Amino acid sequence: MGRKPDAVAKPHYSAAAAAGGGGGGGGASSPRTARKAPPSPVFLGTALFVLGFVSLFTGHVVTDADWSRIRSRWRSRQVRIYEPIDIWKSKYSSTYYGCSGRSTNFRSAVPENSSTGYLLIATSGGLNQQRIGITDAVVVAWILNATLVVPELDHHSFWKDESDFSDIFDVDWFISYLSKDVTIVKRIPYEVMLSMDKLPWTMRAPRKSMPEFYIDEVLPILMRRRALQLTKFDYRLTSELDEDLQKLRCRVNFHALRFTNSIHTLGQKLVRKLRLMSPRYVAVHLRFEPDMLAFSGCYYGGGEKERKGLGEIRKRWDTLPELSAEDERSRGKCPLTPHEVGLMLRALGFGNDTNLYVASGEIYGGEETLQSLRDLFPNFYTKEDLAGDDLKPFLPFSSRLAAIDFIVCDESDVFVTNNNGNMAKVLAGRRRYMGHKRTIRPNAKKLNVLFQRWNQMGWDMFSLKVQKVQRGLMGEPDDIRPKQDDFHEFPSSCICLRKPRNISVTT
Protein backbone atom coordinates (compact mmCIF):
# COMPACT_ATOMS: atom_id res chain seq x y z
CA MET A 1 0.00 0.00 0.00
CA GLY A 2 1.35 3.40 -0.97
CA ARG A 3 1.49 6.47 1.19
CA LYS A 4 -1.43 8.87 1.16
CA PRO A 5 -1.10 12.64 0.96
CA ASP A 6 -0.92 14.55 4.19
CA ALA A 7 -3.90 15.66 6.20
CA VAL A 8 -7.04 14.81 4.35
CA ALA A 9 -10.05 16.49 5.90
CA LYS A 10 -13.59 15.51 6.66
CA PRO A 11 -15.99 16.43 3.84
CA HIS A 12 -17.76 13.49 2.42
CA TYR A 13 -15.45 10.89 1.14
CA SER A 14 -12.58 11.67 3.46
CA ALA A 15 -11.06 9.79 6.29
CA ALA A 16 -7.84 10.31 8.20
CA ALA A 17 -4.74 9.81 6.04
CA ALA A 18 -1.13 9.23 6.81
CA ALA A 19 1.47 11.92 6.25
CA GLY A 20 3.24 12.19 2.90
CA GLY A 21 5.22 14.64 0.83
CA GLY A 22 5.83 14.32 -2.84
CA GLY A 23 7.54 16.33 -5.51
CA GLY A 24 5.93 18.07 -8.42
CA GLY A 25 7.11 15.66 -11.13
CA GLY A 26 4.97 13.95 -13.73
CA GLY A 27 2.75 11.03 -12.80
CA ALA A 28 4.24 7.62 -13.53
CA SER A 29 2.46 5.26 -15.89
CA SER A 30 1.61 1.74 -14.85
CA PRO A 31 4.15 -0.98 -15.88
CA ARG A 32 1.22 -3.06 -17.06
CA THR A 33 0.06 -0.22 -19.31
CA ALA A 34 3.54 0.35 -20.69
CA ARG A 35 3.79 -3.26 -21.90
CA LYS A 36 0.59 -3.13 -23.93
CA ALA A 37 0.95 -3.80 -27.64
CA PRO A 38 0.18 -0.91 -30.00
CA PRO A 39 -3.39 -0.86 -31.33
CA SER A 40 -4.37 -2.54 -34.56
CA PRO A 41 -3.90 -0.45 -37.73
CA VAL A 42 -7.50 -1.24 -38.79
CA PHE A 43 -8.66 2.25 -37.74
CA LEU A 44 -5.94 3.93 -39.81
CA GLY A 45 -6.73 1.82 -42.85
CA THR A 46 -10.42 2.58 -42.55
CA ALA A 47 -9.78 6.33 -42.23
CA LEU A 48 -7.56 6.36 -45.31
CA PHE A 49 -10.11 4.33 -47.30
CA VAL A 50 -12.97 6.66 -46.33
CA LEU A 51 -10.95 9.74 -47.26
CA GLY A 52 -10.08 8.24 -50.63
CA PHE A 53 -13.72 7.29 -51.22
CA VAL A 54 -14.94 10.81 -50.33
CA SER A 55 -12.33 12.37 -52.60
CA LEU A 56 -13.80 10.38 -55.49
CA PHE A 57 -17.09 12.26 -55.16
CA THR A 58 -15.86 15.68 -54.07
CA GLY A 59 -13.14 16.01 -56.67
CA HIS A 60 -10.55 16.74 -53.98
CA VAL A 61 -7.26 15.13 -54.91
CA VAL A 62 -5.64 13.64 -51.85
CA THR A 63 -1.96 14.43 -52.01
CA ASP A 64 0.96 12.55 -50.50
CA ALA A 65 1.13 15.34 -47.90
CA ASP A 66 -2.51 14.67 -46.92
CA TRP A 67 -1.85 10.97 -46.45
CA SER A 68 1.32 11.68 -44.50
CA ARG A 69 -0.44 14.16 -42.21
CA ILE A 70 -3.24 11.68 -41.43
CA ARG A 71 -0.77 8.89 -40.69
CA SER A 72 1.45 11.05 -38.48
CA ARG A 73 -1.45 12.49 -36.48
CA TRP A 74 -2.96 9.04 -35.93
CA ARG A 75 0.38 7.55 -34.88
CA SER A 76 1.24 10.46 -32.59
CA ARG A 77 -2.12 10.08 -30.84
CA GLN A 78 -1.50 6.39 -30.25
CA VAL A 79 1.95 7.13 -28.84
CA ARG A 80 0.55 9.82 -26.50
CA ILE A 81 -1.92 7.38 -24.95
CA TYR A 82 0.96 5.46 -23.39
CA GLU A 83 3.27 8.34 -22.54
CA PRO A 84 3.70 9.45 -18.93
CA ILE A 85 1.91 12.75 -18.31
CA ASP A 86 4.09 15.80 -17.77
CA ILE A 87 1.81 17.58 -15.33
CA TRP A 88 3.37 21.01 -15.92
CA LYS A 89 3.53 21.32 -19.69
CA SER A 90 2.47 19.58 -22.88
CA LYS A 91 5.43 18.53 -25.02
CA TYR A 92 3.25 19.13 -28.10
CA SER A 93 2.27 22.71 -27.27
CA SER A 94 4.93 24.27 -29.50
CA THR A 95 3.53 22.36 -32.49
CA TYR A 96 0.47 24.63 -32.58
CA TYR A 97 -0.16 28.37 -32.51
CA GLY A 98 -3.09 30.79 -32.39
CA CYS A 99 -4.10 32.07 -35.83
CA SER A 100 -7.06 34.42 -36.16
CA GLY A 101 -6.02 36.88 -38.87
CA ARG A 102 -8.55 38.24 -41.35
CA SER A 103 -8.69 36.47 -44.70
CA THR A 104 -8.26 38.61 -47.81
CA ASN A 105 -11.89 38.13 -48.86
CA PHE A 106 -13.42 38.92 -45.46
CA ARG A 107 -15.70 41.95 -45.77
CA SER A 108 -14.37 45.11 -44.11
CA ALA A 109 -16.31 47.21 -41.62
CA VAL A 110 -19.23 49.18 -43.03
CA PRO A 111 -18.92 52.93 -42.28
CA GLU A 112 -21.35 54.28 -39.72
CA ASN A 113 -23.26 56.44 -42.21
CA SER A 114 -23.72 53.46 -44.57
CA SER A 115 -24.63 50.81 -42.02
CA THR A 116 -28.05 49.20 -41.59
CA GLY A 117 -28.51 50.88 -38.20
CA TYR A 118 -27.31 50.89 -34.61
CA LEU A 119 -27.19 47.59 -32.74
CA LEU A 120 -27.41 47.85 -28.95
CA ILE A 121 -26.58 44.84 -26.81
CA ALA A 122 -27.57 44.19 -23.18
CA THR A 123 -25.40 41.37 -21.84
CA SER A 124 -26.35 38.95 -19.09
CA GLY A 125 -24.73 37.16 -16.15
CA GLY A 126 -21.30 37.39 -14.58
CA LEU A 127 -18.07 38.63 -16.16
CA ASN A 128 -17.30 35.66 -18.40
CA GLN A 129 -20.88 35.06 -19.47
CA GLN A 130 -20.94 38.72 -20.51
CA ARG A 131 -17.60 38.30 -22.25
CA ILE A 132 -19.13 35.57 -24.43
CA GLY A 133 -22.08 37.87 -25.16
CA ILE A 134 -19.78 40.73 -26.17
CA THR A 135 -17.79 38.45 -28.46
CA ASP A 136 -20.93 37.24 -30.21
CA ALA A 137 -22.34 40.78 -30.40
CA VAL A 138 -19.45 41.83 -32.64
CA VAL A 139 -20.09 38.87 -34.94
CA VAL A 140 -23.82 39.62 -35.12
CA ALA A 141 -23.08 43.28 -35.94
CA TRP A 142 -20.87 42.09 -38.82
CA ILE A 143 -23.59 39.73 -40.09
CA LEU A 144 -26.12 42.60 -40.04
CA ASN A 145 -23.79 45.26 -41.52
CA ALA A 146 -24.69 47.24 -38.41
CA THR A 147 -22.87 49.80 -36.30
CA LEU A 148 -22.34 48.29 -32.87
CA VAL A 149 -22.86 50.45 -29.80
CA VAL A 150 -20.45 49.45 -26.97
CA PRO A 151 -22.36 46.70 -25.12
CA GLU A 152 -24.13 47.41 -21.87
CA LEU A 153 -23.14 45.21 -18.94
CA ASP A 154 -25.62 43.47 -16.66
CA HIS A 155 -26.28 45.44 -13.45
CA HIS A 156 -29.18 43.28 -12.24
CA SER A 157 -27.79 39.74 -12.07
CA PHE A 158 -27.10 37.82 -8.86
CA TRP A 159 -23.90 39.85 -8.29
CA LYS A 160 -25.51 43.32 -8.59
CA ASP A 161 -22.34 44.86 -10.04
CA GLU A 162 -22.75 48.46 -11.29
CA SER A 163 -19.60 48.36 -13.44
CA ASP A 164 -19.87 49.61 -17.02
CA PHE A 165 -17.89 48.29 -19.99
CA SER A 166 -15.22 50.99 -19.62
CA ASP A 167 -14.74 50.10 -15.93
CA ILE A 168 -13.55 46.62 -16.88
CA PHE A 169 -12.32 46.73 -20.47
CA ASP A 170 -10.18 49.24 -22.36
CA VAL A 171 -12.99 50.63 -24.51
CA ASP A 172 -10.78 52.69 -26.85
CA TRP A 173 -8.60 49.65 -27.58
CA PHE A 174 -11.75 47.57 -28.21
CA ILE A 175 -13.06 50.04 -30.77
CA SER A 176 -9.69 50.57 -32.44
CA TYR A 177 -8.63 46.91 -32.65
CA LEU A 178 -11.88 45.86 -34.34
CA SER A 179 -12.18 48.91 -36.62
CA LYS A 180 -11.37 46.87 -39.74
CA ASP A 181 -14.11 44.37 -38.95
CA VAL A 182 -16.99 46.28 -37.38
CA THR A 183 -17.69 49.96 -36.77
CA ILE A 184 -18.20 50.48 -33.02
CA VAL A 185 -19.35 53.66 -31.29
CA LYS A 186 -19.66 54.50 -27.59
CA ARG A 187 -23.22 55.74 -27.96
CA ILE A 188 -25.81 56.57 -30.61
CA PRO A 189 -25.11 60.13 -31.82
CA TYR A 190 -27.41 62.71 -30.25
CA GLU A 191 -28.65 64.04 -33.59
CA VAL A 192 -29.62 60.52 -34.67
CA MET A 193 -31.58 60.01 -31.46
CA LEU A 194 -33.44 63.30 -32.06
CA SER A 195 -34.34 62.25 -35.59
CA MET A 196 -35.80 58.90 -34.53
CA ASP A 197 -39.58 58.68 -34.34
CA LYS A 198 -39.56 55.97 -31.67
CA LEU A 199 -37.25 54.53 -29.06
CA PRO A 200 -35.05 51.58 -30.13
CA TRP A 201 -36.98 48.35 -30.58
CA THR A 202 -36.17 45.69 -27.98
CA MET A 203 -36.18 41.94 -28.61
CA ARG A 204 -34.52 38.74 -27.43
CA ALA A 205 -32.98 36.24 -29.81
CA PRO A 206 -33.41 32.50 -29.14
CA ARG A 207 -30.36 30.74 -27.70
CA LYS A 208 -27.75 29.57 -30.21
CA SER A 209 -29.48 31.23 -33.16
CA MET A 210 -28.09 30.72 -36.65
CA PRO A 211 -26.95 33.73 -38.75
CA GLU A 212 -30.09 33.29 -40.89
CA PHE A 213 -32.26 34.19 -37.89
CA TYR A 214 -30.53 37.55 -37.56
CA ILE A 215 -30.80 38.23 -41.29
CA ASP A 216 -34.45 37.16 -41.58
CA GLU A 217 -35.90 38.34 -38.26
CA VAL A 218 -33.64 41.05 -36.86
CA LEU A 219 -32.34 42.91 -39.92
CA PRO A 220 -35.77 44.10 -41.24
CA ILE A 221 -36.61 45.62 -37.83
CA LEU A 222 -33.19 47.22 -37.53
CA MET A 223 -33.46 48.85 -40.96
CA ARG A 224 -36.98 50.06 -40.28
CA ARG A 225 -36.29 51.45 -36.80
CA ARG A 226 -32.63 52.53 -37.30
CA ALA A 227 -31.76 51.21 -33.82
CA LEU A 228 -32.50 47.91 -32.09
CA GLN A 229 -31.55 46.41 -28.74
CA LEU A 230 -31.00 42.70 -28.15
CA THR A 231 -31.52 41.81 -24.49
CA LYS A 232 -30.19 38.98 -22.28
CA PHE A 233 -27.48 38.52 -24.88
CA ASP A 234 -25.59 35.39 -23.81
CA TYR A 235 -25.16 32.29 -25.98
CA ARG A 236 -27.53 33.83 -28.53
CA LEU A 237 -25.35 32.79 -31.48
CA THR A 238 -24.58 29.26 -32.59
CA SER A 239 -21.12 27.76 -32.06
CA GLU A 240 -21.22 26.50 -35.65
CA LEU A 241 -20.13 29.36 -37.89
CA ASP A 242 -17.92 29.49 -40.95
CA GLU A 243 -14.19 29.83 -40.37
CA ASP A 244 -13.96 33.57 -41.07
CA LEU A 245 -16.61 34.36 -38.46
CA GLN A 246 -15.00 32.00 -35.95
CA LYS A 247 -11.71 33.83 -36.44
CA LEU A 248 -13.54 37.11 -35.83
CA ARG A 249 -14.77 35.64 -32.54
CA CYS A 250 -11.15 34.90 -31.64
CA ARG A 251 -9.98 38.40 -32.54
CA VAL A 252 -12.61 39.82 -30.19
CA ASN A 253 -12.14 37.41 -27.29
CA PHE A 254 -8.37 36.97 -27.32
CA HIS A 255 -7.20 40.37 -28.55
CA ALA A 256 -9.83 43.13 -28.44
CA LEU A 257 -11.10 42.50 -24.90
CA ARG A 258 -8.23 43.92 -22.90
CA PHE A 259 -8.71 44.79 -19.23
CA THR A 260 -8.34 48.35 -18.00
CA ASN A 261 -4.92 49.46 -16.83
CA SER A 262 -5.85 49.39 -13.13
CA ILE A 263 -7.12 45.78 -13.31
CA HIS A 264 -4.21 44.62 -15.47
CA THR A 265 -1.62 46.26 -13.20
CA LEU A 266 -2.94 44.63 -10.02
CA GLY A 267 -3.38 41.23 -11.70
CA GLN A 268 0.22 41.25 -12.93
CA LYS A 269 1.44 42.37 -9.49
CA LEU A 270 -0.11 39.24 -7.96
CA VAL A 271 1.48 37.07 -10.65
CA ARG A 272 4.92 38.55 -9.87
CA LYS A 273 4.44 37.86 -6.15
CA LEU A 274 3.63 34.23 -6.88
CA ARG A 275 6.63 33.91 -9.22
CA LEU A 276 8.98 35.35 -6.58
CA MET A 277 7.91 32.59 -4.18
CA SER A 278 8.20 29.82 -6.75
CA PRO A 279 8.96 29.69 -10.49
CA ARG A 280 5.74 27.72 -11.10
CA TYR A 281 2.25 27.79 -9.68
CA VAL A 282 -1.12 26.11 -10.13
CA ALA A 283 -4.31 28.18 -10.32
CA VAL A 284 -7.63 26.63 -9.30
CA HIS A 285 -10.93 28.22 -10.21
CA LEU A 286 -13.07 26.96 -7.34
CA ARG A 287 -16.70 27.53 -8.25
CA PHE A 288 -18.24 26.42 -4.96
CA GLU A 289 -20.50 29.30 -4.01
CA PRO A 290 -23.99 28.67 -2.53
CA ASP A 291 -25.79 29.78 -5.72
CA MET A 292 -23.69 27.40 -7.85
CA LEU A 293 -24.41 24.44 -5.58
CA ALA A 294 -28.11 25.28 -5.40
CA PHE A 295 -28.34 25.56 -9.18
CA SER A 296 -26.57 22.22 -9.66
CA GLY A 297 -29.10 20.35 -7.53
CA CYS A 298 -26.28 18.40 -5.86
CA TYR A 299 -25.83 17.40 -2.22
CA TYR A 300 -22.58 17.79 -0.26
CA GLY A 301 -23.16 16.01 3.06
CA GLY A 302 -24.44 18.89 5.19
CA GLY A 303 -27.61 17.12 6.30
CA GLU A 304 -31.07 18.66 6.49
CA LYS A 305 -29.64 22.13 7.09
CA GLU A 306 -27.86 22.03 3.73
CA ARG A 307 -30.85 20.61 1.88
CA LYS A 308 -33.15 23.35 3.21
CA GLY A 309 -30.62 26.17 2.72
CA LEU A 310 -29.73 25.28 -0.87
CA GLY A 311 -33.37 24.48 -1.59
CA GLU A 312 -34.38 28.03 -0.65
CA ILE A 313 -31.72 29.50 -2.96
CA ARG A 314 -32.87 27.18 -5.76
CA LYS A 315 -36.33 28.78 -5.67
CA ARG A 316 -34.82 31.85 -7.40
CA TRP A 317 -34.99 29.87 -10.65
CA ASP A 318 -38.65 28.98 -11.12
CA THR A 319 -37.99 26.93 -14.27
CA LEU A 320 -35.47 24.46 -12.76
CA PRO A 321 -36.65 20.84 -12.70
CA GLU A 322 -36.62 18.54 -9.68
CA LEU A 323 -33.29 16.69 -9.63
CA SER A 324 -31.93 13.69 -7.81
CA ALA A 325 -28.65 14.67 -6.13
CA GLU A 326 -27.39 11.08 -6.41
CA ASP A 327 -28.19 10.90 -10.12
CA GLU A 328 -26.53 14.25 -10.80
CA ARG A 329 -23.34 13.12 -9.05
CA SER A 330 -23.24 9.77 -10.88
CA ARG A 331 -23.63 11.66 -14.18
CA GLY A 332 -20.67 13.88 -13.32
CA LYS A 333 -22.80 17.04 -13.10
CA CYS A 334 -21.73 18.09 -9.59
CA PRO A 335 -18.81 20.51 -9.06
CA LEU A 336 -15.88 18.86 -7.27
CA THR A 337 -15.51 19.85 -3.63
CA PRO A 338 -12.30 21.64 -2.54
CA HIS A 339 -11.23 18.36 -0.92
CA GLU A 340 -11.81 16.41 -4.15
CA VAL A 341 -9.85 18.96 -6.18
CA GLY A 342 -6.94 18.54 -3.76
CA LEU A 343 -7.06 14.75 -3.97
CA MET A 344 -7.11 14.85 -7.77
CA LEU A 345 -4.11 17.18 -7.94
CA ARG A 346 -2.06 15.16 -5.44
CA ALA A 347 -2.91 11.94 -7.30
CA LEU A 348 -1.75 13.51 -10.58
CA GLY A 349 1.63 14.21 -8.97
CA PHE A 350 1.52 17.77 -7.61
CA GLY A 351 3.38 17.72 -4.28
CA ASN A 352 2.43 19.48 -1.05
CA ASP A 353 5.14 22.06 -1.80
CA THR A 354 3.23 23.27 -4.89
CA ASN A 355 2.10 26.91 -4.80
CA LEU A 356 -1.67 27.00 -5.24
CA TYR A 357 -3.62 30.12 -6.20
CA VAL A 358 -7.34 29.74 -5.53
CA ALA A 359 -9.78 31.96 -7.42
CA SER A 360 -13.23 31.91 -5.91
CA GLY A 361 -16.13 33.85 -4.55
CA GLU A 362 -17.87 33.12 -1.27
CA ILE A 363 -17.17 29.44 -0.58
CA TYR A 364 -20.10 27.41 0.73
CA GLY A 365 -19.19 26.46 4.29
CA GLY A 366 -16.39 29.06 4.44
CA GLU A 367 -12.98 28.24 5.89
CA GLU A 368 -14.13 24.91 7.24
CA THR A 369 -14.83 23.71 3.69
CA LEU A 370 -11.48 25.06 2.44
CA GLN A 371 -9.40 23.56 5.24
CA SER A 372 -9.06 20.14 3.59
CA LEU A 373 -7.55 21.78 0.48
CA ARG A 374 -5.23 23.94 2.61
CA ASP A 375 -4.04 20.80 4.42
CA LEU A 376 -3.15 19.13 1.12
CA PHE A 377 -1.50 22.29 -0.25
CA PRO A 378 -0.14 24.49 2.57
CA ASN A 379 1.22 27.05 0.05
CA PHE A 380 -2.34 28.28 -0.54
CA TYR A 381 -2.99 31.84 -1.75
CA THR A 382 -5.93 34.00 -2.79
CA LYS A 383 -6.11 37.53 -4.21
CA GLU A 384 -7.04 38.73 -0.72
CA ASP A 385 -3.83 37.20 0.70
CA LEU A 386 -1.58 38.68 -1.99
CA ALA A 387 -3.12 42.08 -2.72
CA GLY A 388 -3.76 43.44 0.79
CA ASP A 389 -4.98 47.04 0.75
CA ASP A 390 -4.49 47.26 -3.03
CA LEU A 391 -7.70 45.27 -3.37
CA LYS A 392 -9.91 47.75 -1.49
CA PRO A 393 -10.99 49.85 -4.52
CA PHE A 394 -12.21 46.68 -6.25
CA LEU A 395 -14.07 45.05 -3.36
CA PRO A 396 -17.56 46.46 -4.15
CA PHE A 397 -17.39 45.15 -7.74
CA SER A 398 -17.60 41.40 -8.30
CA SER A 399 -16.78 41.61 -12.02
CA ARG A 400 -13.57 43.56 -11.40
CA LEU A 401 -12.55 41.02 -8.75
CA ALA A 402 -13.30 38.24 -11.24
CA ALA A 403 -11.13 40.03 -13.82
CA ILE A 404 -8.17 40.02 -11.39
CA ASP A 405 -8.66 36.28 -10.82
CA PHE A 406 -8.89 35.81 -14.60
CA ILE A 407 -5.45 37.39 -15.12
CA VAL A 408 -3.73 35.31 -12.40
CA CYS A 409 -5.35 32.10 -13.66
CA ASP A 410 -4.47 32.88 -17.26
CA GLU A 411 -0.79 33.45 -16.38
CA SER A 412 -0.50 30.23 -14.34
CA ASP A 413 1.56 27.23 -15.43
CA VAL A 414 -1.41 24.96 -14.76
CA PHE A 415 -5.07 25.95 -14.64
CA VAL A 416 -7.58 23.67 -12.92
CA THR A 417 -11.31 23.97 -12.63
CA ASN A 418 -13.83 22.09 -10.51
CA ASN A 419 -16.72 22.82 -12.88
CA ASN A 420 -17.55 23.53 -16.51
CA GLY A 421 -18.81 27.09 -16.07
CA ASN A 422 -18.20 30.17 -18.18
CA MET A 423 -14.83 31.17 -16.70
CA ALA A 424 -13.59 27.59 -17.06
CA LYS A 425 -14.63 27.50 -20.74
CA VAL A 426 -13.31 30.93 -21.66
CA LEU A 427 -9.95 30.37 -19.96
CA ALA A 428 -9.58 26.87 -21.40
CA GLY A 429 -10.13 28.24 -24.91
CA ARG A 430 -7.79 31.16 -24.35
CA ARG A 431 -5.03 28.93 -22.99
CA ARG A 432 -5.33 26.64 -26.01
CA TYR A 433 -5.07 29.63 -28.31
CA MET A 434 -2.08 31.06 -26.41
CA GLY A 435 0.06 27.93 -26.66
CA HIS A 436 -1.83 25.01 -25.13
CA LYS A 437 -0.84 25.87 -21.58
CA ARG A 438 -1.63 22.99 -19.25
CA THR A 439 -5.37 23.09 -18.40
CA ILE A 440 -6.99 20.34 -16.33
CA ARG A 441 -10.68 19.57 -16.74
CA PRO A 442 -11.86 16.96 -14.19
CA ASN A 443 -13.50 13.79 -15.45
CA ALA A 444 -16.15 14.25 -12.76
CA LYS A 445 -18.20 11.18 -13.69
CA LYS A 446 -15.32 8.71 -13.32
CA LEU A 447 -13.60 10.58 -10.50
CA ASN A 448 -16.78 10.38 -8.45
CA VAL A 449 -16.49 6.57 -8.35
CA LEU A 450 -12.83 6.80 -7.31
CA PHE A 451 -13.49 9.39 -4.59
CA GLN A 452 -16.01 7.05 -2.96
CA ARG A 453 -13.52 4.16 -2.86
CA TRP A 454 -10.11 5.77 -2.58
CA ASN A 455 -9.64 4.87 1.09
CA GLN A 456 -10.15 1.20 0.28
CA MET A 457 -7.75 0.87 -2.65
CA GLY A 458 -4.49 2.35 -1.33
CA TRP A 459 -2.91 5.61 -2.45
CA ASP A 460 -0.70 4.22 -5.24
CA MET A 461 -3.63 2.46 -6.92
CA PHE A 462 -5.87 5.52 -6.50
CA SER A 463 -3.18 7.74 -8.02
CA LEU A 464 -2.73 5.48 -11.06
CA LYS A 465 -6.49 5.35 -11.64
CA VAL A 466 -6.82 9.15 -11.42
CA GLN A 467 -4.01 9.56 -13.94
CA LYS A 468 -5.77 7.12 -16.24
CA VAL A 469 -9.21 8.77 -16.13
CA GLN A 470 -7.67 12.22 -16.63
CA ARG A 471 -5.93 11.34 -19.90
CA GLY A 472 -7.47 13.41 -22.66
CA LEU A 473 -8.56 16.10 -20.19
CA MET A 474 -5.20 17.72 -19.45
CA GLY A 475 -5.08 20.48 -22.06
CA GLU A 476 -3.34 18.53 -24.81
CA PRO A 477 -3.92 19.59 -28.43
CA ASP A 478 -5.91 16.40 -29.06
CA ASP A 479 -7.97 16.44 -25.86
CA ILE A 480 -11.26 14.59 -25.67
CA ARG A 481 -14.09 16.93 -26.60
CA PRO A 482 -17.54 16.89 -24.99
CA LYS A 483 -20.46 15.73 -27.14
CA GLN A 484 -21.79 19.27 -27.31
CA ASP A 485 -18.64 21.02 -28.43
CA ASP A 486 -18.40 24.68 -27.37
CA PHE A 487 -16.29 26.92 -29.60
CA HIS A 488 -15.39 29.18 -26.69
CA GLU A 489 -13.68 26.20 -25.04
CA PHE A 490 -12.30 24.62 -28.22
CA PRO A 491 -11.57 27.44 -30.72
CA SER A 492 -10.30 24.98 -33.33
CA SER A 493 -10.72 27.35 -36.30
CA CYS A 494 -8.19 29.67 -34.66
CA ILE A 495 -5.47 27.11 -33.89
CA CYS A 496 -3.02 26.14 -36.60
CA LEU A 497 -0.43 23.40 -36.92
CA ARG A 498 3.10 24.66 -37.47
CA LYS A 499 4.65 23.53 -40.72
CA PRO A 500 7.83 21.50 -40.31
CA ARG A 501 10.90 23.48 -41.27
CA ASN A 502 12.39 22.64 -44.63
CA ILE A 503 16.03 21.68 -44.20
CA SER A 504 18.07 22.09 -47.34
CA VAL A 505 21.29 20.17 -47.67
CA THR A 506 24.03 21.57 -49.91
CA THR A 507 27.02 19.66 -51.06
Side-chain angles (χ1 to χ4, degrees):
M1 295 264 284
R3 294 166 63 194
K4 298 178 184 178
D6 2 309
V8 197
K10 305 166 189 166
H12 278 341
Y13 313 117
S14 60
S29 60
S30 158
R32 185 184 305 169
T33 303
R35 287 197 298 269
K36 281 187 179 179
S40 164
V42 171
F43 173 79
L44 175 60
T46 304
L48 297 176
F49 173 77
V50 169
L51 184 56
F53 192 71
V54 169
S55 71
L56 211 63
F57 290 90
T58 62
H60 172 71
V61 179
V62 183
T63 65
D64 288 341
D66 291 329
W67 296 118
S68 175
R69 194 156 47 243
I70 293 166
R71 289 190 192 99
S72 64
R73 285 184 181 179
W74 184 83
R75 286 170 182 157
S76 68
R77 185 177 178 86
Q78 304 314 307
V79 169
R80 291 180 211 180
I81 290 173
Y82 303 103
E83 285 181 344
I85 298 173
D86 180 340
I87 54 177
W88 289 102
K89 185 178 181 181
S90 168
K91 66 185 288 187
Y92 301 99
S93 59
S94 60
T95 310
Y96 300 85
Y97 66 98
C99 53
S100 60
R102 305 175 80 252
S103 66
T104 53
N105 60 350
F106 190 67
R107 191 191 72 230
S108 296
V110 176
E112 184 178 353
N113 58 4
S114 306
S115 71
T116 53
Y118 292 92
L119 181 66
L120 299 98
I121 297 290
T123 60
S124 178
L127 174 66
N128 292 286
Q129 188 172 333
Q130 293 184 90
R131 187 182 185 115
I132 290 169
I134 294 164
T135 298
D136 288 349
V138 174
V139 179
V140 169
W142 187 93
I143 291 169
L144 296 174
N145 278 334
T147 295
L148 177 67
V149 180
V150 169
E152 176 187 322
L153 300 191
D154 187 352
H155 298 160
H156 307 289
S157 68
F158 174 80
W159 295 273
K160 299 290 187 293
D161 189 326
E162 294 297 320
S163 299
D164 291 323
F165 188 101
S166 59
D167 295 318
I168 297 173
F169 301 108
D170 184 336
V171 66
D172 293 324
W173 171 261
F174 177 74
I175 293 171
S176 172
Y177 189 89
L178 294 169
S179 60
K180 291 182 179 179
D181 297 307
V182 172
T183 298
I184 304 173
V185 296
K186 293 181 180 179
R187 61 191 64 83
I188 299 177
Y190 181 67
E191 58 274 15
V192 173
M193 289 292 291
L194 286 178
S195 67
M196 290 169 56
D197 296 332
K198 300 175 182 178
L199 290 173
W201 184 265
T202 298
M203 66 181 293
R204 186 179 302 175
R207 289 178 71 80
K208 300 184 178 180
S209 295
M210 299 297 288
E212 289 76 15
F213 168 83
Y214 289 98
I215 293 169
D216 296 341
E217 304 294 332
V218 177
L219 183 59
I221 300 172
L222 176 64
M223 295 182 72
R224 188 169 66 249
R225 300 293 291 262
R226 297 190 66 190
L228 178 148
Q229 183 181 54
L230 297 176
T231 62
K232 289 279 184 183
F233 201 79
D234 59 340
Y235 292 100
R236 303 291 163 176
L237 183 63
T238 178
S239 270
E240 299 172 8
L241 298 173
D242 67 49
E243 187 171 290
D244 280 334
L245 290 181
Q246 298 288 46
K247 285 181 180 291
L248 175 56
R249 260 180 170 152
C250 294
R251 290 197 292 279
V252 181
N253 201 358
F254 305 139
H255 297 283
L257 285 175
R258 191 164 75 178
F259 292 121
T260 60
N261 187 56
S262 60
I263 291 173
H264 177 79
T265 299
L266 183 54
Q268 290 298 328
K269 183 176 180 179
L270 303 194
V271 172
R272 286 195 299 273
K273 283 190 174 185
L274 286 164
R275 296 275 183 222
L276 284 172
M277 291 184 280
S278 175
R280 302 188 293 198
Y281 71 94
V282 175
V284 177
H285 179 226
L286 201 57
R287 191 78 166 85
F288 207 71
E289 297 92 343
D291 68 299
M292 174 68 168
L293 304 191
F295 187 86
S296 73
C298 299
Y299 172 68
Y300 290 91
E304 191 59 28
K305 181 180 178 182
E306 177 186 311
R307 293 183 190 277
K308 287 183 68 175
L310 295 183
E312 283 300 311
I313 298 174
R314 192 170 170 79
K315 290 178 182 177
R316 292 176 186 161
W317 300 281
D318 51 12
T319 58
L320 292 182
E322 288 293 324
L323 297 174
S324 161
E326 290 73 20
D327 289 347
E328 292 304 288
R329 180 167 287 280
S330 66
R331 291 170 58 217
K333 298 298 183 182
C334 296
L336 269 60
T337 68
H339 180 226
E340 291 167 347
V341 171
L343 286 177
M344 177 188 72
L345 290 176
R346 292 299 298 274
L348 287 172
F350 294 97
N352 68 346
D353 58 345
T354 301
N355 278 20
L356 200 72
Y357 178 84
V358 177
S360 69
E362 175 199 353
I363 294 294
Y364 179 73
E367 282 301 314
E368 186 178 347
T369 302
L370 281 175
Q371 191 57 48
S372 56
L373 182 57
R374 288 185 185 273
D375 290 340
L376 287 165
F377 291 95
N379 298 334
F380 178 110
Y381 303 97
T382 64
K383 56 184 174 293
E384 290 80 8
D385 297 328
L386 298 171
D389 290 343
D390 290 343
L391 201 62
K392 283 183 178 178
F394 301 92
L395 290 176
F397 308 103
S398 61
S399 290
R400 299 182 211 185
L401 293 173
I404 293 166
D405 275 336
F406 187 100
I407 292 169
V408 184
C409 290
D410 186 36
E411 293 285 347
S412 66
D413 299 274
V414 179
F415 173 64
V416 187
T417 177
N418 73 324
N419 71 98
N420 198 33
N422 294 304
M423 181 165 169
K425 289 177 181 177
V426 171
L427 266 171
R430 179 179 174 84
R431 289 170 68 87
R432 289 181 185 282
Y433 180 83
M434 297 296 182
H436 282 93
K437 293 187 285 186
R438 179 66 77 208
T439 303
I440 300 175
R441 178 162 47 105
N443 187 340
K445 185 175 182 178
K446 292 185 177 179
L447 285 173
N448 171 55
V449 177
L450 296 179
F451 289 141
Q452 293 185 62
R453 300 175 185 169
W454 77 277
N455 267 325
Q456 293 133 38
M457 68 178 70
W459 181 254
D460 286 349
M461 179 59 67
F462 173 73
S463 182
L464 285 172
K465 286 182 177 292
V466 168
Q467 291 168 33
K468 183 178 179 180
V469 303
Q470 280 302 124
R471 284 188 179 275
L473 299 164
M474 298 287 287
E476 293 288 345
D478 58 355
D479 261 359
I480 297 167
R481 297 192 179 191
K483 290 178 182 177
Q484 292 183 330
D485 200 349
D486 189 319
F487 182 78
H488 298 285
E489 185 176 0
F490 291 96
S492 51
S493 301
C494 305
I495 297 173
C496 297
L497 183 65
R498 293 190 190 279
K499 294 179 181 178
R501 292 180 180 177
N502 293 322
I503 303 174
S504 59
V505 180
T506 57
T507 57

